[in-house]
Amino acid sequence: MDIGIDAAQREQISNGLSKVLADTYTLYLKTHNFHWNVTGPMFQTLHLMFEQHYNELALAVDAVAERIRALGFPAPGTYRQFSALSSIREEDGIPKATDMIRLLVEGHEAVARTARGAFVTAEKAHDQPTCDLLTQRLQIHEKTAWMLRSMLE
Ligand SMILES: [Fe+2]
Protein backbone atom coordinates (compact mmCIF):
# COMPACT_ATOMS: atom_id res chain seq x y z
CA MET A 1 0.00 0.00 0.00
CA ASP A 2 1.42 3.40 -1.01
CA ILE A 3 -0.83 6.47 -0.75
CA GLY A 4 2.07 8.81 0.00
CA ILE A 5 1.90 8.48 3.81
CA ASP A 6 4.34 6.03 5.38
CA ALA A 7 3.11 3.09 7.46
CA ALA A 8 4.21 4.52 10.81
CA GLN A 9 2.30 7.76 10.18
CA ARG A 10 -0.76 5.87 8.93
CA GLU A 11 -0.70 3.84 12.13
CA GLN A 12 -0.41 6.97 14.32
CA ILE A 13 -3.32 8.60 12.50
CA SER A 14 -5.39 5.40 12.81
CA ASN A 15 -4.71 5.32 16.55
CA GLY A 16 -5.97 8.90 16.85
CA LEU A 17 -9.05 8.10 14.77
CA SER A 18 -9.71 5.01 16.91
CA LYS A 19 -9.98 7.29 19.96
CA VAL A 20 -12.37 9.57 18.05
CA LEU A 21 -14.39 6.48 17.07
CA ALA A 22 -14.54 5.22 20.67
CA ASP A 23 -15.59 8.64 21.98
CA THR A 24 -18.20 9.05 19.26
CA TYR A 25 -19.64 5.56 19.86
CA THR A 26 -19.80 6.14 23.61
CA LEU A 27 -21.52 9.50 23.07
CA TYR A 28 -23.89 7.83 20.59
CA LEU A 29 -24.93 5.25 23.22
CA LYS A 30 -25.26 7.89 25.94
CA THR A 31 -27.46 10.04 23.70
CA HIS A 32 -29.65 7.07 22.75
CA ASN A 33 -29.92 6.06 26.42
CA PHE A 34 -31.05 9.59 27.32
CA HIS A 35 -33.56 9.56 24.42
CA TRP A 36 -35.12 6.46 26.00
CA ASN A 37 -35.02 7.53 29.63
CA VAL A 38 -35.52 11.30 29.72
CA THR A 39 -38.48 12.50 31.84
CA GLY A 40 -39.99 15.82 32.92
CA PRO A 41 -41.58 18.92 31.35
CA MET A 42 -38.93 19.05 28.57
CA PHE A 43 -39.62 15.43 27.60
CA GLN A 44 -40.95 16.04 24.08
CA THR A 45 -38.22 18.54 23.12
CA LEU A 46 -35.35 16.48 24.51
CA HIS A 47 -36.67 13.11 23.31
CA LEU A 48 -36.79 14.44 19.73
CA MET A 49 -33.57 16.43 19.93
CA PHE A 50 -31.61 13.48 21.32
CA GLU A 51 -32.96 11.37 18.44
CA GLN A 52 -31.56 13.83 15.88
CA HIS A 53 -28.22 13.77 17.67
CA TYR A 54 -27.87 9.98 17.94
CA ASN A 55 -28.82 9.55 14.29
CA GLU A 56 -26.04 11.96 13.30
CA LEU A 57 -23.55 10.17 15.59
CA ALA A 58 -24.50 6.77 14.13
CA LEU A 59 -23.53 8.01 10.66
CA ALA A 60 -20.35 9.60 11.99
CA VAL A 61 -18.95 6.40 13.54
CA ASP A 62 -19.21 4.72 10.14
CA ALA A 63 -17.27 7.50 8.39
CA VAL A 64 -14.52 7.48 11.03
CA ALA A 65 -14.20 3.66 11.05
CA GLU A 66 -14.02 3.53 7.26
CA ARG A 67 -11.27 6.17 7.19
CA ILE A 68 -9.23 3.93 9.53
CA ARG A 69 -9.76 1.06 7.08
CA ALA A 70 -8.71 3.23 4.13
CA LEU A 71 -5.47 3.96 6.01
CA GLY A 72 -4.84 0.20 6.17
CA PHE A 73 -5.66 -0.60 9.80
CA PRO A 74 -8.46 -2.50 11.57
CA ALA A 75 -11.23 -0.40 13.13
CA PRO A 76 -12.06 -1.15 16.78
CA GLY A 77 -15.62 -2.48 17.05
CA THR A 78 -16.25 -4.01 20.47
CA TYR A 79 -17.57 -2.48 23.70
CA ARG A 80 -14.36 -3.62 25.42
CA GLN A 81 -12.16 -1.76 22.91
CA PHE A 82 -14.39 1.32 23.00
CA SER A 83 -14.37 1.32 26.79
CA ALA A 84 -10.55 1.11 26.84
CA LEU A 85 -10.11 3.85 24.21
CA SER A 86 -12.87 6.31 25.13
CA SER A 87 -12.30 9.48 27.16
CA ILE A 88 -16.05 9.68 27.94
CA ARG A 89 -17.28 8.10 31.17
CA GLU A 90 -20.56 6.16 31.28
CA GLU A 91 -23.32 7.15 33.71
CA ASP A 92 -24.73 5.06 36.54
CA GLY A 93 -28.49 5.36 36.89
CA ILE A 94 -30.80 7.86 35.17
CA PRO A 95 -29.78 11.53 35.43
CA LYS A 96 -32.33 14.35 35.68
CA ALA A 97 -33.14 16.01 32.34
CA THR A 98 -30.92 19.07 32.96
CA ASP A 99 -28.07 16.80 34.07
CA MET A 100 -28.51 14.84 30.83
CA ILE A 101 -28.05 18.08 28.87
CA ARG A 102 -24.94 18.98 30.87
CA LEU A 103 -23.47 15.48 30.46
CA LEU A 104 -24.03 15.66 26.70
CA VAL A 105 -22.35 19.10 26.53
CA GLU A 106 -19.36 17.53 28.29
CA GLY A 107 -19.48 14.56 25.91
CA HIS A 108 -19.46 16.72 22.77
CA GLU A 109 -16.62 18.82 24.21
CA ALA A 110 -14.68 15.62 24.95
CA VAL A 111 -15.01 14.36 21.37
CA ALA A 112 -13.88 17.80 20.14
CA ARG A 113 -10.74 17.59 22.27
CA THR A 114 -9.98 14.07 21.03
CA ALA A 115 -10.57 15.10 17.41
CA ARG A 116 -8.19 18.09 17.83
CA GLY A 117 -5.51 15.72 19.13
CA ALA A 118 -5.94 13.42 16.13
CA PHE A 119 -5.94 16.37 13.73
CA VAL A 120 -2.38 17.39 14.67
CA THR A 121 -1.01 13.98 13.62
CA ALA A 122 -3.02 13.93 10.39
CA GLU A 123 -1.93 17.46 9.46
CA LYS A 124 1.76 16.63 9.98
CA ALA A 125 1.40 13.70 7.57
CA HIS A 126 -0.48 15.80 4.96
CA ASP A 127 -3.46 13.47 5.35
CA GLN A 128 -6.07 15.82 3.87
CA PRO A 129 -9.05 13.39 3.92
CA THR A 130 -8.57 12.76 7.66
CA CYS A 131 -8.14 16.50 8.30
CA ASP A 132 -11.35 17.14 6.34
CA LEU A 133 -13.27 14.48 8.25
CA LEU A 134 -12.02 15.73 11.61
CA THR A 135 -12.81 19.35 10.69
CA GLN A 136 -16.40 18.33 9.92
CA ARG A 137 -16.63 16.41 13.20
CA LEU A 138 -15.24 19.40 15.12
CA GLN A 139 -17.83 21.71 13.56
CA ILE A 140 -20.70 19.39 14.52
CA HIS A 141 -19.53 18.71 18.07
CA GLU A 142 -18.78 22.34 18.85
CA LYS A 143 -22.10 23.49 17.39
CA THR A 144 -24.06 20.79 19.23
CA ALA A 145 -22.26 21.62 22.49
CA TRP A 146 -23.21 25.29 22.03
CA MET A 147 -26.88 24.45 21.37
CA LEU A 148 -27.12 22.14 24.37
CA ARG A 149 -25.21 24.62 26.57
CA SER A 150 -27.69 27.34 25.57
CA MET A 151 -30.54 25.31 27.09
CA LEU A 152 -28.87 25.49 30.50
CA GLU A 153 -28.73 29.32 30.69
FE1 LIG B 1 -36.88 6.32 19.58
Side-chain angles (χ1 to χ4, degrees):
M1 165 168 182
D2 182 8
I3 57 168
I5 307 172
D6 68 45
Q9 282 184 307
R10 282 189 284 105
E11 185 168 22
Q12 268 196 329
I13 298 163
S14 297
N15 290 341
L17 285 171
S18 293
K19 290 181 188 170
V20 175
L21 177 57
D23 272 10
T24 308
Y25 210 98
T26 306
L27 184 58
Y28 159 79
L29 183 58
K30 186 178 297 223
T31 306
H32 213 153
N33 174 5
F34 291 174
H35 165 80
W36 294 324
N37 290 304
V38 67
T39 55
M42 289 191 289
F43 171 83
Q44 185 65 2
T45 303
L46 293 180
H47 181 70
L48 293 175
M49 189 179 71
F50 294 163
E51 181 171 347
Q52 285 174 358
H53 292 175
Y54 76 67
N55 281 331
E56 196 285 322
L57 293 164
L59 296 174
V61 290
D62 197 53
V64 175
E66 290 179 0
R67 182 62 197 155
I68 296 170
R69 295 296 299 126
L71 288 166
F73 289 89
T78 65
Y79 288 121
R80 195 172 318 170
Q81 285 173 302
F82 288 150
S83 157
L85 288 166
S86 178
S87 74
I88 299 173
R89 206 174 50 80
E90 294 191 292
E91 283 8 281
D92 295 316
I94 313 290
K96 296 268 175 229
T98 50
D99 288 329
M100 286 182 176
I101 298 170
R102 181 180 51 77
L103 289 163
L104 292 175
V105 169
E106 291 171 5
H108 283 278
E109 290 177 349
V111 191
R113 290 193 298 274
T114 303
R116 279 213 155 70
F119 188 97
V120 175
T121 318
E123 195 175 34
K124 255 187 232 154
H126 306 287
D127 179 352
Q128 295 88 353
T130 298
C131 288
D132 178 56
L133 175 61
L134 290 173
T135 301
Q136 291 179 52
R137 295 315 304 155
L138 280 162
Q139 281 175 347
I140 299 245
H141 289 295
E142 291 177 11
K143 182 175 179 177
T144 307
W146 154 58
M147 289 183 164
L148 287 164
R149 209 183 287 122
S150 299
M151 299 183 81
L152 298 171
E153 284 172 7

mmCIF file of all heavy atoms in Angstrom, residues 11 32 37 46 52 83 110 122 124 127 132 146 151:
data_model
loop_
_atom_site.group_PDB
_atom_site.id
_atom_site.type_symbol
_atom_site.label_atom_id
_atom_site.label_comp_id
_atom_site.label_asym_id
_atom_site.label_seq_id
_atom_site.Cartn_x
_atom_site.Cartn_y
_atom_site.Cartn_z
ATOM 1 N N GLU A 11 -0.330 4.509 10.888
ATOM 2 C CA GLU A 11 -0.704 3.842 12.134
ATOM 3 C C GLU A 11 -1.019 4.868 13.230
ATOM 4 O O GLU A 11 -2.001 4.729 13.963
ATOM 5 C CB GLU A 11 0.410 2.902 12.597
ATOM 6 C CG GLU A 11 0.011 2.090 13.823
ATOM 7 C CD GLU A 11 0.973 0.949 14.124
ATOM 8 O OE1 GLU A 11 2.129 1.011 13.681
ATOM 9 O OE2 GLU A 11 0.543 0.001 14.806
ATOM 10 N N HIS A 32 -28.507 7.952 22.988
ATOM 11 C CA HIS A 32 -29.654 7.066 22.753
ATOM 12 C C HIS A 32 -30.298 6.671 24.090
ATOM 13 O O HIS A 32 -31.524 6.659 24.234
ATOM 14 C CB HIS A 32 -29.180 5.826 21.971
ATOM 15 C CG HIS A 32 -30.215 5.295 21.042
ATOM 16 N ND1 HIS A 32 -29.925 4.596 19.895
ATOM 17 C CD2 HIS A 32 -31.572 5.364 21.090
ATOM 18 C CE1 HIS A 32 -31.042 4.255 19.285
ATOM 19 N NE2 HIS A 32 -32.056 4.701 19.988
ATOM 20 N N ASN A 37 -34.744 7.428 28.194
ATOM 21 C CA ASN A 37 -35.020 7.527 29.631
ATOM 22 C C ASN A 37 -35.303 8.934 30.138
ATOM 23 O O ASN A 37 -35.549 9.101 31.332
ATOM 24 C CB ASN A 37 -33.842 6.919 30.418
ATOM 25 C CG ASN A 37 -33.803 5.402 30.252
ATOM 26 O OD1 ASN A 37 -34.790 4.722 30.549
ATOM 27 N ND2 ASN A 37 -32.691 4.875 29.769
ATOM 28 N N LEU A 46 -36.622 17.192 24.347
ATOM 29 C CA LEU A 46 -35.350 16.479 24.511
ATOM 30 C C LEU A 46 -35.390 15.116 23.839
ATOM 31 O O LEU A 46 -34.417 14.704 23.195
ATOM 32 C CB LEU A 46 -35.011 16.340 26.004
ATOM 33 C CG LEU A 46 -34.697 17.658 26.718
ATOM 34 C CD1 LEU A 46 -34.383 17.415 28.187
ATOM 35 C CD2 LEU A 46 -33.533 18.393 26.046
ATOM 36 N N GLN A 52 -32.338 13.212 16.980
ATOM 37 C CA GLN A 52 -31.557 13.829 15.877
ATOM 38 C C GLN A 52 -30.065 13.636 16.118
ATOM 39 O O GLN A 52 -29.310 13.316 15.207
ATOM 40 C CB GLN A 52 -31.829 15.335 15.796
ATOM 41 C CG GLN A 52 -33.169 15.694 15.207
ATOM 42 C CD GLN A 52 -33.428 17.207 15.301
ATOM 43 O OE1 GLN A 52 -32.616 17.960 15.842
ATOM 44 N NE2 GLN A 52 -34.561 17.628 14.787
ATOM 45 N N SER A 83 -14.494 0.942 25.394
ATOM 46 C CA SER A 83 -14.369 1.325 26.792
ATOM 47 C C SER A 83 -12.910 1.639 27.144
ATOM 48 O O SER A 83 -12.626 2.579 27.888
ATOM 49 C CB SER A 83 -14.957 0.203 27.642
ATOM 50 O OG SER A 83 -14.443 0.236 28.922
ATOM 51 N N ALA A 110 -15.721 16.649 24.868
ATOM 52 C CA ALA A 110 -14.676 15.616 24.954
ATOM 53 C C ALA A 110 -14.315 15.088 23.563
ATOM 54 O O ALA A 110 -13.132 14.919 23.241
ATOM 55 C CB ALA A 110 -15.145 14.473 25.859
ATOM 56 N N ALA A 122 -2.595 14.027 11.792
ATOM 57 C CA ALA A 122 -3.022 13.934 10.392
ATOM 58 C C ALA A 122 -2.447 15.091 9.572
ATOM 59 O O ALA A 122 -2.016 14.914 8.427
ATOM 60 C CB ALA A 122 -4.546 13.930 10.316
ATOM 61 N N LYS A 124 0.315 16.831 10.157
ATOM 62 C CA LYS A 124 1.757 16.633 9.978
ATOM 63 C C LYS A 124 2.055 15.706 8.812
ATOM 64 O O LYS A 124 3.047 15.879 8.100
ATOM 65 C CB LYS A 124 2.352 16.040 11.260
ATOM 66 C CG LYS A 124 3.147 17.028 12.092
ATOM 67 C CD LYS A 124 3.847 16.312 13.255
ATOM 68 C CE LYS A 124 3.537 17.012 14.563
ATOM 69 N NZ LYS A 124 3.627 16.140 15.732
ATOM 70 N N ASP A 127 -2.325 14.365 5.588
ATOM 71 C CA ASP A 127 -3.464 13.466 5.350
ATOM 72 C C ASP A 127 -4.738 14.321 5.245
ATOM 73 O O ASP A 127 -5.499 14.463 6.200
ATOM 74 C CB ASP A 127 -3.557 12.448 6.500
ATOM 75 C CG ASP A 127 -4.726 11.486 6.329
ATOM 76 O OD1 ASP A 127 -5.548 11.675 5.417
ATOM 77 O OD2 ASP A 127 -4.816 10.544 7.141
ATOM 78 N N ASP A 132 -10.007 16.713 6.762
ATOM 79 C CA ASP A 132 -11.345 17.140 6.336
ATOM 80 C C ASP A 132 -12.422 16.500 7.219
ATOM 81 O O ASP A 132 -13.325 17.180 7.715
ATOM 82 C CB ASP A 132 -11.552 16.769 4.863
ATOM 83 C CG ASP A 132 -12.934 17.139 4.370
ATOM 84 O OD1 ASP A 132 -13.312 18.314 4.486
ATOM 85 O OD2 ASP A 132 -13.646 16.250 3.870
ATOM 86 N N TRP A 146 -22.668 23.925 21.855
ATOM 87 C CA TRP A 146 -23.214 25.294 22.028
ATOM 88 C C TRP A 146 -24.738 25.253 22.185
ATOM 89 O O TRP A 146 -25.303 25.892 23.070
ATOM 90 C CB TRP A 146 -22.819 26.163 20.827
ATOM 91 C CG TRP A 146 -23.763 27.299 20.570
ATOM 92 C CD1 TRP A 146 -24.089 28.301 21.440
ATOM 93 C CD2 TRP A 146 -24.537 27.523 19.378
ATOM 94 N NE1 TRP A 146 -25.022 29.148 20.853
ATOM 95 C CE2 TRP A 146 -25.301 28.689 19.591
ATOM 96 C CE3 TRP A 146 -24.639 26.865 18.151
ATOM 97 C CZ2 TRP A 146 -26.175 29.194 18.628
ATOM 98 C CZ3 TRP A 146 -25.502 27.377 17.184
ATOM 99 C CH2 TRP A 146 -26.249 28.523 17.430
ATOM 100 N N MET A 151 -29.335 25.722 26.383
ATOM 101 C CA MET A 151 -30.539 25.305 27.091
ATOM 102 C C MET A 151 -30.367 25.379 28.603
ATOM 103 O O MET A 151 -31.344 25.334 29.347
ATOM 104 C CB MET A 151 -30.914 23.859 26.721
ATOM 105 C CG MET A 151 -31.205 23.668 25.256
ATOM 106 S SD MET A 151 -31.720 21.980 24.903
ATOM 107 C CE MET A 151 -33.450 22.080 25.375
#
